[in-house]
Amino acid sequence: MSEQPCSLYSLCINVAVTDCVTLCRFCKKEFRILPDNVLFDFYYKMYTEKRLCLLGVEYSELEVFNRMLKVKHKRSKLLKSFQSLIDHGSNVMEELLLSYTKYRTGSEMITMNVIDTGLKLGGFLNEGGWYNYSIEILNVVEELCKRKGKNANLLCKLLDCYHKRLHAESVYCMFKCAEDTFELALSTRDELDKLNAVPNLAGLYANISALFFVRSEYDEAYQWALKSLKLLNDDLPPRIVIEVLRQASKSCVVKRRFSQAKLLIHQAVGLASHLYYNDHHPCYSDALMDYGYYLLNYDTIKESVKVYEKALAVRKEIFEKNNVHVAIGHEDLAYALYVNEYSSGRFYLARENADRAIRIMDKILPKDHLMLASAMRVKALILEEIALDLRDGTRLQEQDQLLLEAEQLHKSALALSHSAFGEHNVQTAKHYGNLGRLYQTMMKYDEAEKMHLRAISIKEQLLGPDDYEVGLSIGHLASLYSYHMKRHRSAEKLYKRSIHISLKLFGVFYSGLEYDYRGLIHVYTELNDIANMVHYTHIMREWKFLRESHETSNAFPERLESLNTVITEFLKMC
């Protein structure tokens, strides 16, 4: 089938770009008379023609770039071309920041347009994952708002500034700054309340939930997510609605409220797909990432891998490779592949994705940034499993090297987590547990026991005795006692407790039950307790049959429900 001919409009754009570059007569003044959407297409053609130096000069002018930010329906193309300038070595972000920072000390009159420009630019930089620059821009916006006065309109602008900055600081792991912004946002909300001028706070409350979520304070994350959901309505921008649904779903996942999480994330992905799919928008990718998170935690692992792969493909299409969104996509896919291939031993694709995540983060983040801790943890888990596959004795040196590298990664991740969160935090406890498993593999059994006990203690204090994370650590300690330290009675109690937690949270189909059932069978075999060994062997067979016949349904509804219907149904489940 022959290609469709170019439209007259496209031909004009092509000729204009070719003419201005080839004949070296780019007349800025004349071209900038064009409407915003036409000028955008002109600049995007520069990008596709690889005229990046000229495009960088244009985008470095704040007034010009502000016009491009107004073309909202082509945001993915703007992000894509902007990332290409960064990869090309352009200092476009520095130039825009410098231009906007001049308002801080300049004598120019601060207008609402200037403040709006800063808010739009800060929001755009957030979307692209350039959080440090976003924070700098929004710091200036805060100063300008405060200099201009304290009427209701300005306070609303200030609250919007805090909303966007809180998101950037939370994702970028600037937790002390985020805590300060959180307090300032609530104070500004209270001032607006006195003026009876409080705007809809659903988006802000979702970002507050996200702050508590990344700090592993899951009860608070869930409560703020509930507040944000109750404020949703059809008058809000779809982007805000999707963000609230996504964050609330993640908060439900960590509280093991899977029915609620499924309802919300299905709506978020469906809405994002309906609005953005043809444009391959980052909003759609973000919704897919959170859907993958739900699937992975709900024990639908193969499906989660497919969803993560799709989300990463969208991100790579927009940002190519040197971007934090792409790095996180590789990291999450690496972990899903690791879990999916746990029984097969085929970990090399998982390792490749983990390596890519770390390489990108090393390139674009400050040294020892906390984001690296999670990626290093994933890679260390993968290396440990690869090392275990070398137990035949022919490649002992390679095995030792892998285990030592894994230990170094785990210790580095623990140090970063401890520095950011302190001892009493779920993330820190996870790193202790990971070290415990590694030391078990390395036959350092006393050190392994200490790590597992520390992990269990922290998790129990923070999450209670029947949380999934507690059950996971208890199962690991049971394995250590059963297979290596010959403390079979202690292992028996721990396995039964782990099974109780799994059944309570996930039901009889949960895949993790296999390891506990196998462990108990081993315990009773070692104790020569034939009756219990036979009993749990029978339970194990029943579990295998149930697991194979069980199909978890995660099919999307044939049509999107109304927002009000979804919220009403969600609240019924509370």
Side-chain angles (χ1 to χ4, degrees):
M1 188 176 183
S2 60
E3 293 184 5
Q4 292 293 321
C6 290
S7 67
L8 180 59
Y9 175 76
S10 297
L11 287 171
C12 290
I13 293 292
N14 293 347
V15 170
V17 172
T18 303
D19 186 51
C20 80
V21 175
T22 304
L23 301 181
C24 300
R25 57 175 189 172
F26 178 43
C27 304
K28 295 184 180 183
K29 187 174 181 181
E30 286 75 6
F31 277 104
R32 291 178 187 177
I33 295 172
L34 296 169
D36 292 343
N37 62 320
V38 179
L39 186 60
F40 181 95
D41 290 339
F42 176 75
Y43 287 143
Y44 193 72
K45 186 62 180 177
M46 281 187 182
Y47 156 71
T48 60
E49 292 293 326
K50 304 300 180 185
R51 311 296 185 181
L52 298 181
C53 291
L54 185 55
L55 181 61
V57 171
E58 289 297 290
Y59 277 5
S60 294
E61 292 194 30
L62 184 60
E63 182 180 351
V64 171
F65 196 71
N66 184 40
R67 292 179 62 188
M68 298 303 95
L69 292 173
K70 296 176 183 177
V71 188
K72 294 183 179 179
H73 65 290
K74 296 182 179 180
R75 182 54 64 93
S76 294
K77 290 184 175 180
L78 184 59
L79 289 164
K80 191 172 185 177
S81 57
F82 198 81
Q83 179 69 51
S84 74
L85 293 176
I86 296 169
D87 294 340
H88 185 64
S90 169
N91 61 347
V92 59
M93 285 197 292
E94 290 82 356
E95 290 293 332
L96 289 172
L97 176 59
L98 180 62
S99 296
Y100 195 74
T101 304
K102 289 178 181 177
Y103 287 112
R104 175 186 280 162
T105 56
S107 58
E108 300 94 336
M109 182 176 178
I110 305 303
T111 65
M112 296 304 288
N113 283 338
V114 169
I115 291 171
D116 286 338
T117 295
L119 290 171
K120 285 188 291 184
L121 182 55
F124 170 79
L125 295 172
N126 269 351
E127 287 179 54
W130 305 296
Y131 300 114
N132 50 334
Y133 287 95
S134 174
I135 292 164
E136 291 292 335
I137 291 288
L138 295 169
N139 286 342
V140 179
V141 173
E142 177 188 27
E143 288 187 34
L144 300 183
C145 286
K146 289 182 175 180
R147 273 171 48 188
K148 194 162 176 63
K150 270 198 174 183
N151 60 52
N153 191 22
L154 278 165
L155 286 171
C156 284
K157 299 292 183 186
L158 185 59
L159 191 62
D160 189 24
C161 171
Y162 292 145
H163 173 178
K164 290 178 168 64
R165 196 171 75 187
L166 180 63
H167 171 77
E169 290 168 340
S170 298
V171 177
Y172 206 58
C173 305
M174 296 174 61
F175 299 125
K176 179 60 176 72
C177 294
E179 180 71 26
D180 294 340
T181 300
F182 162 60
E183 297 293 344
L184 287 167
L186 294 188
S187 176
T188 306
R189 177 201 63 182
D190 293 343
E191 289 187 70
L192 282 164
D193 189 40
K194 294 175 184 176
L195 300 172
N196 294 316
V198 179
N200 189 289
L201 300 173
L204 173 64
Y205 286 172
N207 278 353
I208 293 172
S209 171
L211 170 61
F212 285 108
F213 182 90
V214 295
R215 296 196 318 198
S216 304
E217 298 173 30
Y218 298 138
D219 288 335
E220 292 85 349
Y222 180 74
Q223 292 304 319
W224 282 103
L226 279 180
K227 291 180 181 181
S228 68
L229 278 171
K230 291 175 181 178
L231 294 174
L232 282 186
N233 61 60
D234 292 322
D235 295 329
L236 288 170
R239 178 182 57 81
I240 294 292
V241 174
I242 293 168
E243 287 178 2
V244 170
L245 292 170
R246 285 175 43 226
Q247 178 55 38
S249 174
K250 287 197 296 184
S251 298
C252 289
V253 167
V254 292
K255 295 293 290 181
R256 305 298 150 184
R257 296 172 176 265
F258 292 112
S259 296
Q260 289 177 306
K262 177 180 176 180
L263 176 70
L264 298 178
I265 196 58
H266 275 193
Q267 185 75 5
V269 174
L271 186 57
S273 174
H274 176 71
L275 291 171
Y276 300 121
Y277 178 79
N278 291 331
D279 197 24
H280 284 252
H281 197 281
C283 183
Y284 179 56
S285 165
D286 294 342
L288 286 175
M289 292 291 289
D290 291 336
Y291 184 41
Y293 179 76
Y294 158 76
L295 291 171
L296 185 64
N297 280 272
Y298 193 54
D299 205 31
T300 316
I301 300 163
K302 289 184 179 179
E303 288 302 312
S304 77
V305 170
K306 294 176 184 177
V307 171
Y308 277 130
E309 287 175 337
K310 189 173 184 179
L312 177 58
V314 175
R315 291 186 170 190
K316 289 172 72 173
E317 181 182 340
I318 298 169
F319 300 111
E320 294 190 8
K321 56 183 179 180
N322 293 321
N323 184 279
V324 70
H325 292 312
V326 177
I328 293 170
H330 278 299
E331 178 195 330
D332 288 353
L333 176 58
Y335 186 72
L337 286 165
Y338 157 77
V339 176
N340 189 49
E341 301 295 349
Y342 196 78
S343 59
S344 73
R346 297 189 296 268
F347 292 107
Y348 288 95
L349 185 56
R351 181 179 182 177
E352 181 182 339
N353 277 278
D355 282 334
R356 287 180 181 177
I358 291 173
R359 281 200 301 269
I360 295 170
M361 290 181 184
D362 276 334
K363 186 172 183 179
I364 65 176
L365 294 176
K367 189 177 183 296
D368 294 333
H369 194 278
L370 183 60
M371 280 189 184
L372 275 163
S374 180
M376 289 190 295
R377 165 185 170 268
V378 172
K379 182 177 178 180
L381 292 172
I382 294 166
L383 292 180
E384 180 182 350
E385 292 305 319
I386 294 173
L388 283 171
D389 287 340
L390 303 177
R391 286 175 295 186
D392 58 7
T394 61
R395 300 163 70 182
L396 289 177
Q397 185 176 2
E398 184 180 351
Q399 183 186 50
D400 289 342
Q401 288 175 344
L402 287 169
L403 292 175
L404 287 172
E405 184 181 353
E407 182 182 20
Q408 184 179 5
L409 287 167
H410 276 317
K411 284 185 173 180
S412 296
L414 174 60
L416 289 172
S417 181
H418 208 285
S419 176
F421 302 116
E423 175 82 359
H424 202 64
N425 184 273
V426 173
Q427 295 303 319
T428 303
K430 285 182 179 181
H431 292 303
Y432 282 132
N434 291 330
L435 269 172
R437 290 183 59 194
L438 179 64
Y439 286 144
Q440 185 174 343
T441 300
M442 297 173 76
M443 296 184 286
K444 298 179 179 180
Y445 302 133
D446 290 338
E447 290 91 334
E449 181 186 22
K450 290 176 184 176
M451 294 296 104
H452 286 316
L453 288 172
R454 189 175 295 182
I456 292 168
S457 175
I458 295 170
K459 289 179 180 180
E460 282 183 330
Q461 291 177 56
L462 293 172
L463 304 172
D466 293 331
D467 186 83
Y468 162 74
E469 283 290 341
V470 175
L472 203 61
S473 290
I474 286 171
H476 292 153
L477 181 59
S479 171
L480 174 68
Y481 285 164
S482 174
Y483 291 99
H484 301 294
M485 300 185 80
K486 309 304 178 186
R487 294 169 60 178
H488 299 300
R489 288 301 180 190
S490 296
E492 176 190 20
K493 293 177 182 177
L494 291 170
Y495 277 131
K496 287 185 175 180
R497 185 178 167 195
S498 180
I499 289 169
H500 169 76
I501 293 172
S502 295
L503 290 173
K504 180 179 178 181
L505 294 175
F506 300 105
V508 295
F509 308 106
Y510 178 50
S511 63
L513 287 165
E514 177 180 5
Y515 306 104
D516 290 336
Y517 288 147
R518 287 188 186 281
L520 267 180
I521 293 168
H522 174 76
V523 164
Y524 290 126
T525 300
E526 291 294 308
L527 292 173
N528 201 28
D529 187 340
I530 305 302
N532 273 315
M533 186 269 288
V534 171
H535 174 67
Y536 278 97
T537 299
H538 178 68
I539 290 177
M540 178 80 168
R541 287 174 183 160
E542 283 189 336
W543 171 85
K544 281 186 175 181
F545 175 77
L546 290 169
R547 180 71 184 170
E548 289 169 1
S549 62
H550 175 60
E551 291 185 3
T552 304
S553 174
N554 282 291
F556 280 92
E558 293 184 2
R559 62 183 180 83
L560 283 174
E561 298 289 348
S562 71
L563 186 60
N564 184 60
T565 299
V566 171
I567 301 302
T568 301
E569 186 66 25
F570 175 88
L571 294 175
K572 287 179 181 177
M573 299 178 188
C574 290

